[in-house]
Amino acid sequence: GVMAGTLDLIQRGYVGAEMRDGTLHFRPKLNDRLDGLSLPMRFRKTSVEATLKEGELTVATQTDGLYQSIKVGVGDEFREIKDEERYVFTL
């Protein structure tokens, strides 16, 4: 239970990850004490790596054989990210 709570705090508290309308939304909260953060997650059967560092959020998908794309949004900016692609959102 404690580990799940810690992961939830990081995913929602710092990265601001939430799923809405079939889209993975991020609302990152930058923190001067946090030098960077990278965490893996799964969204719609797709492996995703979200990295928050130096005013940027990088979202990358990883090969797992399913070759699905996902829709990602940060603020008003939305991108479809395909398998083995990455996109850098400037915050």
Side-chain angles (χ1 to χ4, degrees):
V2 172
M3 289 304 292
T6 302
L7 180 59
D8 184 58
L9 173 68
I10 292 170
Q11 283 183 335
R12 291 194 298 152
Y14 289 117
V15 181
E18 66 179 352
M19 293 69 162
R20 262 186 299 147
D21 303 322
T23 301
L24 180 58
H25 289 266
F26 291 96
R27 288 176 295 128
K29 295 172 181 70
L30 301 176
N31 184 329
D32 292 342
R33 295 185 202 173
L34 189 61
D35 187 28
L37 172 69
S38 183
L39 62 111
M41 60 178 68
R42 286 189 68 80
F43 178 68
R44 297 190 164 236
K45 299 180 183 178
T46 300
S47 296
V48 178
E49 182 84 22
T51 304
L52 181 59
K53 187 167 180 149
E54 298 175 357
E56 296 180 335
L57 175 71
T58 302
V59 179
T61 58
Q62 302 168 353
T63 299
D64 59 5
L66 296 175
Y67 301 102
Q68 295 184 2
S69 63
I70 60 169
K71 190 172 181 183
V72 177
V74 175
D76 293 333
E77 186 175 2
F78 292 89
R79 292 286 182 256
E80 186 169 331
I81 302 174
K82 297 179 181 154
D83 199 40
E84 286 293 315
E85 285 186 343
R86 72 179 52 240
Y87 188 81
V88 178
F89 294 90
T90 302
L91 305 175

